[in-house]
Amino acid sequence: MLIKKLFIIYISLWLPVAPGLSFQHNDIDSLEKQLETVNDTLKIEIYNKLSRLHREISLNNSMNYAKEALKIAEAMRYPKGIADAFDEIGNVYAEVGIWDDALMNYMESKRIREQAGDKNGMALSYSNMGICYFHTRRITQSREFFQKAMVMAEEIQNDSLLASGYHNLGELYAYSGHYDQVMVFLGKSLLFYESLNNIQKYIEVLNIMGNNLMKSGKPLNAIQYYSKSIELSEMLDDLKLLSAAKNLMGKAYMETGNMEKALMLFSQSLDHATETKNKTLINSIYRSFCHYYVKTGNFKEAYQFDTIYYNLKDSLFSVRNARKIAQLKEIYDTENKDKELAVLKSTQTMESLEIKRRRTFENYMTTFAIILFLMMTAGLYYLYLKRKTNKILSVKNKQQEETNQLLVESEKQLRDINDTKNKFLTIIAHDLISPFNALLGFTELMAEEAKSHHIDEIKKYSGVISQSLKNLHHLLENLLQWSKTQRGIIDFHPEFFDLSKTASNLVTFFELSARKKKIKLSEDLKGGNIVYADANLVSTILRNLISNAIKFSPIGGWVKITSKEENGFIEVSVSDNGTGVKKENIEKLFRIDTHYTQKGTSNEQGTGLGLIIVKEFVEKNGGKIWVESEEKKGSTFKFTLPKNP
């Protein structure tokens, strides 16, 4: 019964159908009447509209209208009209697949829109060029122009262009087989189509996302997208969209093994498609029935559907080819391109011969495949079940291994964080207690001396308290800076600046501290020390290094700051002739887990955090830091900063 019904459908497809273009003809008549009364600017817009409307009726007329719009616009020197006309000419070439000629016209449109500063038009031109490159399989160029269109659309906040841009990128990545990226871009396009209330495009993207999941081997997930597509198609009462979605959903159910559901959907899809008399869609459903019957082992039905499918496919190919030749002939008749038409006819003949050869071969192969299938079904089914079981076990084992590895890594990270926290608290407990003890002790002594009016002693104690407060302030400042770096909230604003000025200002700042210990503090940074870094962070780096150099230099010693250029970096050195560092302690200087610190030559206190902060700030600016030191002879701390980004 089903085959008889299909035969009736097949015959009915070739009965005459009313064109259904009356509304379009009314629009054309109305626009052509307006040409008699409007000015040239409006004439350009009308000619371009007529070109768009005639693309579905006569490509020759469409091309002529676009060229008439171009002629008037060029005479007026009207950039928008010229660019729109080039777009319409490109659209005519794209309609018949002459992508190189279409691309040439889109490029000319883009050039004019760039000169006019028309960002909306530029985004559209970029998108059109990306489509041309995609159809000629120049994927790299296609991606480049789609991305340019997206950047421009985001800049002008054009939701319609953003929707189509994400849509185009999704289809491009689907062609390239990058299935995860397909879902990301198409998901974004859905959001924009929804906000624009463009339901038809929304349905189209849902179907593409479902197809992508099918290719990824996830039919159950694909069903969710097809189901939403069916719901929206029913809401629009669009039988063509509804038929396509049900056909796709039937394929998905067939992949899950729900053959009864698949057959029901294929039958409903065929009924809807028959009402629309859409031959291409009907033929696609025939192909689905063929695959269904192959999977269910009904090879007789499968063969009958396969025969109907190829008969209709060949007929459709002939009709399309004839229509395409007619369209090309219209275009090339106006431009004297008979040679290209002859090539197309030759191609059609060759393709027709190839189709006949392929059909004969496919018939033989189908018969052979059915016989071979019957012989191997039992063995293949057993192997399939065994392989499927092994694959499931392999996936489960791999997932378990990955989970265990994540747990081990997470445990290690938590242990490291806890160790760092404990060491940090130890530093605070150790280094905060000394200044506070000094403050408490000497304030008590001052209170006692105040009773006896020993002014000299009070002054002495005040000096000690002042120094303790300075040490405490320096400690808290370093703790705050270190805390910010650990939390990742440190301000970082790199810029070009003269390092010489920063060093000179810091030498002036530390001059009093150096003078107290009779230390000669100098800098020899000549002009031209321009670096690209965060000036505040670099100032903190030098401040800590100079402070340390003064702290560990003897009375009457020296501290010197120098620099030199090295391989695109400025290398800065802070040298002293102080106590130096033992070789075994050098590696501890920049590590939080060791908390290495020692008193200065005048018993100055240190926190051990200064050099840790210095290392992190140097690396934040893209440089390196190291130390060259010899015990009792002095140290040289060196670090680098980039000259350019």
Side-chain angles (χ1 to χ4, degrees), residues 129-147 168-169 171-178:
M129 291 168 69
I131 292 170
C132 290
Y133 284 124
F134 177 76
H135 282 284
T136 54
R137 296 301 178 256
R138 288 175 277 184
I139 301 303
T140 301
Q141 294 95 322
S142 177
R143 184 186 302 111
E144 176 188 345
F145 280 96
F146 282 153
Q147 288 171 343
N168 288 336
L169 284 170
E171 296 220 42
L172 183 142
Y173 281 110
Y175 173 80
S176 304
H178 296 88

Side-chain angles (χ1 to χ4, degrees), residues 230 234 238-247 265-278 281-282 285:
I230 290 171
E234 289 175 339
D238 189 318
L239 293 180
K240 180 180 176 182
L241 293 175
L242 184 59
S243 174
K246 286 188 175 182
N247 185 31
L265 287 165
F266 290 148
S267 298
Q268 291 176 357
S269 176
L270 182 60
D271 289 340
H272 299 321
T274 303
E275 287 188 57
T276 66
K277 294 196 174 184
N278 187 302
L281 184 54
I282 290 172
I285 300 167

Side-chain angles (χ1 to χ4, degrees), residues 22 28 82 103 173 216 302 305 423 467 540 593 624:
S22 59
I28 291 171
I82 296 172
L103 178 62
Y173 281 110
S216 305
F305 271 102
K423 288 161 188 170
Q467 186 60 44
T540 301
D593 56 345
K624 297 180 180 178

Side-chain angles (χ1 to χ4, degrees), residues 26 65 95 145 179 353 471 519-520 582:
N26 289 338
Y65 279 123
E95 186 74 23
F145 280 96
Y179 300 126
L353 292 172
N471 292 340
I519 291 171
K520 182 181 179 182
K582 292 181 180 179

Side-chain angles (χ1 to χ4, degrees), residues 250-259 262 266 288 291-292 295:
K251 292 178 182 179
Y253 272 112
M254 191 163 62
E255 285 299 313
T256 65
N258 192 338
M259 308 307 285
F266 290 148
S288 298
H291 291 158
Y292 168 82
K295 276 188 173 281

